Amino acid sequence: DIQMTQSPSSLSASVGDRVTITCRASQSISNYLNWYQQKPGKAPKLLIYAASSLQSGVPSRFSGSGSGTDFTLTISSLQPEDFATYYCQQSFTTPLTFGGGIKVEIK
Amino acid sequence: EVQLLESGGGLVQPGGSLRLSCAGTGFTFSRYAMSWVRQAPGKGLEWVSAISGSGDSTYYADSVKGRFTISRDNSKNTLYLQMNSLRAEDTAVYYCAKNLAIYGGYFDYWGQGTLVTVSS
């Protein structure tokens, strides 16, 4: 199985900060990497697919990059509504696997 | 508007069975693969199972293989998850999700989730 490792496990940031979250795959997954945002009590929401494509309706402050084994999600200017947990997910092969999630909290 | 509505969750004893349903509207149901993803209380997301648009191909996580069965009825625009031999560790919110594709795809729409609690 492909293991997805996210770092850091949590982070504290302020409104307006630039935030970068890392996801590493245990083997190459090309660009088959997706990012989701989840708020408490809600279903996950797709932010980025295929490593760097912005899902329709998602603000442009979110961006993704990477290929192979190393990927990043960047929030260029953190907004109050962005405090949430972020998950990466690979779709290169089954079993489809998620990272453990990173909770972005208010500093 | 795409909507996915799960039902069928509840409290079940260890060793028991439960069938979850997910009704899809706002898209051509038969064209898309579908998945079940679960989340144990306070934990992260775990993919459980997926099925192709036609229903011909199915995929399972090792943790549920042999106990859970995914199926779909495209005439009713409904996805199912039959869960047998349930264990305490199956306790979770179960989400159905629309897949653009299983390989190389992503979950672009999710249901609101249904809670399954396995306890005596």
Side-chain angles (χ1 to χ4, degrees):
Chain A
D1 298 1
I2 296 177
Q3 308 303 318
M4 306 301 295
T5 303
Q6 290 186 243
S7 61
S9 56
S10 65
L11 69 90
S12 296
S14 300
V15 172
D17 284 353
R18 181 182 182 88
V19 171
T20 299
I21 295 169
T22 298
C23 177
R24 175 165 288 176
S26 60
Q27 67 184 74
S28 178
I29 58 170
S30 184
N31 70 332
Y32 297 128
L33 190 284
N34 309 309
W35 289 98
Y36 302 87
Q37 176 195 66
Q38 188 180 33
K39 296 181 179 179
K42 300 294 187 181
K45 172 188 173 183
L46 177 68
L47 298 176
I48 301 285
Y49 62 92
S52 60
S53 295
L54 191 68
Q55 172 67 349
S56 175
V58 174
S60 59
R61 63 181 179 272
F62 291 93
S63 63
S65 64
S67 67
T69 61
D70 294 316
F71 302 87
T72 58
L73 172 70
T74 299
I75 310 172
S76 61
S77 177
L78 198 65
Q79 298 302 300
E81 60 268 30
D82 301 337
F83 292 97
T85 301
Y86 294 85
Y87 294 92
C88 61
Q89 175 251 328
Q90 65 82 17
S91 60
F92 181 76
T93 190
T94 55
L96 307 178
T97 48
F98 290 88
I102 291 176
K103 187 174 184 178
V104 177
E105 298 177 299
I106 301 172
K107 182 183 286 184
Chain B
E1 179 192 6
V2 172
Q3 289 192 331
L4 298 169
L5 184 62
E6 302 97 336
S7 60
L11 175 63
V12 61
Q13 292 187 340
S17 298
L18 212 55
R19 188 177 84 156
L20 306 183
S21 300
C22 170
T25 59
F27 64 105
T28 305
F29 189 78
S30 62
R31 285 189 181 178
Y32 295 95
M34 297 290 295
S35 280
W36 289 98
V37 177
R38 69 184 180 184
Q39 187 169 37
K43 302 297 184 182
L45 300 169
E46 179 189 16
W47 172 78
V48 172
S49 183
I51 187 168
S52 62
S54 65
D56 290 346
S57 299
T58 58
Y59 309 83
Y60 297 94
D62 285 346
S63 58
V64 306
K65 199 173 294 183
R67 300 188 299 123
F68 290 11
T69 302
I70 192 171
S71 62
R72 63 193 297 160
D73 184 337
N74 287 339
S75 69
K76 296 182 179 179
N77 291 347
T78 301
L79 172 72
Y80 302 101
L81 185 68
Q82 177 67 43
M83 304 186 294
N84 298 331
S85 302
L86 282 161
R87 306 167 180 167
E89 54 264 36
D90 295 319
T91 294
V93 173
Y94 284 73
Y95 296 100
C96 66
K98 173 177 168 284
N99 283 69
L100 188 72
I102 294 172
Y103 295 106
Y106 45 85
F107 306 118
D108 56 351
Y109 290 94
W110 299 65
Q112 85 290 347
T114 187
L115 176 62
V116 172
T117 303
V118 184
S119 175
S120 55

